[in-house]
Amino acid sequence: MNIKNEVSEIGPYKIVQIFFPVSGFRAVVVVDNIALGPSIGGVRVSQSVTLEEIKRLAGTMTLKNAIAGLPHGGGKAGIMVDPKDPQKEHCFRIFAQAIKDLNEYIPGPDMGSNEECMAWVYDEIGRAVGLPAEEGGLPLDRLGATGFGVAECAEVACHYAAMQLKGAKVAIQGFGSVGKKAAHFLAGKGALIVAVSDTRGCISDLYGIDVKKLTEVKDSTGSVINYRPGTVKKTEELFSEQCDILVPAANPDVIHKGNAGDIRAKLIIQGANIPATREAEELLHRKGILSIPDFIANAGGVIMAAMEHAGKTGEEAFDTISERIKKNTALILEKTFEENILPRQAAEAIARERVLTAMSYKRVL
Ligand code: NAD
């Protein structure tokens, strides 16, 4: 792993690398900032995850938690194993023991991990969020906290992009926890889901895809490409689909200068974390495409996690997600238009101000 000694005025505060030479087990935790409280952030499980990626994601969590008004700083972890590894439970239990005394970090689910993984961590160290309902948790993926927030965000953002969500054509990249629930809640608000991709391909139907049926097909066959009717295309063709709203809900940096010019949507709601490069966001802005940054649009999951941590109910969590995401979407878009800046610049300025103010009250940070 390469460690670049890049720090901002906010973080990272602590980087912990875990390596057991005999088994070859590797993991990393980045606690970006704790001025607002102990950090919360997901545990990403992937053989290819890097420290650099975890650092960027942890930094985003600081901004996400701050702008959502949560009493938490930002953190993130990566476990470098295949998410389908048969020894996954063992890996999580080792990981949990290794971070036992790192009280500044509260693990949650992320790509490659879920509520079951959090239950293993909780069983080991009594510290995790996104737990199964049986363990007193609010299972945020099953409830669809992030997808719900994406749809709430889209409703407000449509107003600023001079269109109606009802009847808007939506393309979604990735049909996992976020993509499925975003499709469900967007369709519930009257949007037409016209294209969905996963790693094996893209299914497209301009007359609208039945989300319930697509979910059943994905769950039973493993891919959206087995859905009918519709046209099967290559995965990457999703980005050039004819649509009004694009929701990236898979990997980082999938929108870059090489494909940003092909995007035909008027509005992008970033369901995934850091799905677009800085260069791409600038290019989209110049093209007049409104792109709502990840840490505003996909905050539903962490808001629910923080509500679980505070002992609140699912109903209270959904109300809070709706209220905060709608308010923040309007707040950053007002600033965007007033100051003629990118939505991300507007959002970062507001979030950073909150973190820096909290830091100014601390003696040692
Ligand atoms: P997931 O693993 O459940 O689903 C990911 C989906 O993306 C899968 O359907 C996979 O097939 C697909 N995919 C992967 N690479 C792809 C590619 N190149 N093209 C098209 N599809 C591809 O993950 P998730 O929990 O839905 O998370 C997705 C993104 O949202 C991640 O960036 C994650 O960090 C972010 N996020 C998730 C949550 C949450 O609550 N789960 C909260 C905030 C942010």
Side-chain angles (χ1 to χ4, degrees), residues 31-32 38 40 58 81 110 152 181 220 301-302 307 329 362:
V31 178
D32 185 67
I40 284 193
V81 296
D110 193 69
E152 296 295 286
K181 296 295 185 178
S220 60
V302 77
M307 297 295 280
T329 305
K362 306 287 173 202

Side-chain angles (χ1 to χ4, degrees), residues 113-256:
S113 65
N114 58 16
E115 61 193 59
E116 189 183 23
C117 304
M118 292 309 115
W120 297 328
V121 174
Y122 194 77
D123 182 43
E124 292 290 326
I125 62 171
R127 196 175 76 243
V129 286
L131 296 168
E134 298 76 10
E135 295 284 309
L138 297 174
L140 48 99
D141 278 343
R142 191 140 41 90
L143 293 172
T146 304
F148 171 74
V150 164
E152 296 295 286
C153 174
E155 195 173 326
V156 174
C158 271
H159 170 71
Y160 289 86
M163 64 175 163
Q164 298 271 331
L165 183 53
K166 194 170 167 45
K169 294 188 171 67
V170 180
I172 301 178
Q173 186 222 16
F175 206 57
S177 304
V178 178
K180 278 179 195 165
K181 296 295 185 178
H184 167 79
F185 287 111
L186 284 164
K189 288 179 186 287
L192 209 59
I193 311 302
V194 294
V196 177
S197 68
D198 61 22
T199 45
R200 287 172 55 194
C202 168
I203 185 79
S204 153
D205 186 352
L206 270 181
Y207 295 105
I209 292 168
D210 178 337
V211 175
K212 190 165 177 278
K213 191 170 146 197
L214 182 67
T215 305
E216 283 162 12
V217 169
K218 170 78 178 168
D219 291 346
S220 60
T221 71
S223 177
V224 296
I225 59 170
N226 299 313
Y227 173 92
R228 294 293 177 275
T231 312
V232 177
K233 300 181 179 175
K234 289 191 189 132
T235 297
E236 56 277 15
E237 288 184 79
L238 186 278
F239 291 113
S240 52
E241 279 294 299
Q242 181 66 56
C243 63
D244 303 305
I245 303 174
L246 173 65
V247 180
N251 295 334
D253 297 332
V254 292
I255 303 174
H256 45 78

